[in-house]
Amino acid sequence: TSTRVYECEDFSQLPSSGVSLVSVKERYDYRDYKPEDLRTVGLRNDVPLVRSVATHYSNIGFNGTVIVGSNPSDVMARIFSEHFNVQNGSRIFGFGSYLDSLRAKSIIAREADVDPQSVNILVVGEHGDTMVPIYSQGKIGRRPLLEYSIDLESIKAELRKSGATIVKKLGHSSFGPSKAFLELCTFLNTQNPTHLLPMSTLYQDGVYIGLPIQKSGERFLVEDPQLNNIEQEEFKILCLMRRKKR
């Protein structure tokens, strides 16, 4: 796939199509906040900025794909979509669930002492404390993940706190989000990729949550995640919580 990267000094120079990452925040330091507040600090500080950017994208008639990386990315994707006059063919996604999936691969690989590239795992739901790693469908190579003697509940707990752990130490996260964005660009610029990826997208009642996305040509197909009974219950609870918070 051929990809061109554009450097723009203002919104008027932005191409009208393609894949665009929106990751904006005001000038504050995550290290000044408690770990449990890191998901909500963006809502308190960055919503006007995200709304403003969405309006600029509408004004130039952008009709490509927008990946929202501002935290909390699933909520910010919804806010962006609400203030963006959707053009023909345009799509708005949040990249939190794919970033969570990359982090899950890394943690599982460490605990199982395997190459991260051999781990196949999807994380769906919220980019936060109620994310749902789909262990029942996960694999290491061809072997089901559930056959390994590793503490999956401890991995889930670490995964749910991993973003807060990183930004409290460094004040930001950069490598993981950059890798996620580049891989999503490759996926989105491929006509018929052979795999699916989780991204935050519109689900029910105006709620954005991470779901598996398949791409066929220029069409995006949202798939219901394949969950066991425990994962299904976790997924239902997080959806209910998101509707109440909306």
Side-chain angles (χ1 to χ4, degrees):
T1 302
S2 177
T3 301
R4 291 185 62 188
V5 178
Y6 293 86
E7 180 180 357
C8 305
E9 295 184 358
D10 57 53
F11 288 103
S12 66
Q13 298 176 349
L14 189 72
S16 61
S17 62
V19 179
S20 180
L21 171 67
V22 173
S23 186
V24 295
K25 66 183 286 288
E26 295 289 355
R27 297 188 177 212
Y28 58 86
D29 194 322
Y30 284 117
R31 290 170 290 190
D32 295 334
Y33 297 87
K34 297 178 181 179
E36 60 267 26
D37 294 334
L38 293 180
R39 179 171 169 82
T40 58
V41 64
L43 292 175
R44 294 197 298 268
N45 292 282
D46 301 330
V47 168
L49 194 55
V50 171
R51 288 172 175 165
S52 174
V53 172
T55 299
H56 282 295
Y57 272 62
S58 292
N59 290 341
I60 66 169
F62 185 80
N63 66 351
T65 299
V66 177
I67 302 174
V68 179
S70 299
N71 265 319
S73 66
D74 38 14
V75 180
M76 291 301 196
R78 174 181 61 80
I79 291 171
F80 190 99
S81 68
E82 290 175 348
H83 292 81
F84 174 71
N85 294 324
V86 177
Q87 310 297 318
N88 184 34
S90 59
R91 297 289 187 277
I92 314 298
F93 296 113
F95 78 163
S97 290
Y98 186 58
L99 176 58
D100 295 331
S101 298
L102 292 179
R103 288 171 174 167
K105 290 179 64 171
S106 178
I107 298 171
I108 291 169
R110 182 197 69 206
E111 294 301 306
D113 193 23
V114 299
D115 186 337
Q117 294 301 317
S118 68
V119 179
N120 186 358
I121 182 75
L122 293 182
V123 179
V124 297
E126 178 192 48
H127 179 51
D129 292 342
T130 60
M131 67 178 72
V132 180
I134 310 179
Y135 292 145
S136 63
Q137 302 297 319
K139 291 185 177 181
I140 298 178
R142 296 183 178 181
R143 184 180 172 187
L145 180 60
L146 296 179
E147 293 183 1
Y148 282 77
S149 298
I150 55 178
D151 190 340
L152 294 176
E153 285 304 309
S154 294
I155 290 174
K156 184 191 298 182
E158 180 180 349
L159 176 63
R160 288 175 170 176
K161 300 298 182 184
S162 60
T165 300
I166 293 169
V167 299
K168 284 300 289 182
K169 183 180 294 186
L170 302 177
H172 62 87
S173 59
S174 55
F175 177 78
S178 298
K179 177 179 172 64
F181 176 61
L182 289 173
E183 293 186 3
L184 286 173
C185 278
T186 299
F187 174 80
L188 294 168
N189 284 322
T190 302
Q191 279 292 100
N192 294 290
T194 58
H195 59 294
L196 49 78
L197 294 181
M199 292 185 284
S200 298
T201 187
L202 183 63
Y203 184 51
Q204 296 174 354
D205 302 325
V207 170
Y208 262 70
I209 59 173
L211 293 168
I213 305 290
Q214 182 60 271
K215 187 170 182 285
S216 177
E218 299 302 319
R219 296 173 59 234
F220 294 96
L221 309 174
V222 180
E223 298 193 3
D224 289 325
Q226 299 180 23
L227 309 172
N228 64 17
N229 291 338
I230 295 175
E231 294 160 351
Q232 185 67 47
E233 188 62 26
E234 290 183 339
F235 189 76
K236 287 180 180 178
I237 292 172
L238 81 86
C239 289
L240 179 61
M241 292 174 60
R242 292 304 308 278
R243 290 189 189 104
K244 288 183 178 180
K245 291 180 182 178
R246 191 183 185 281

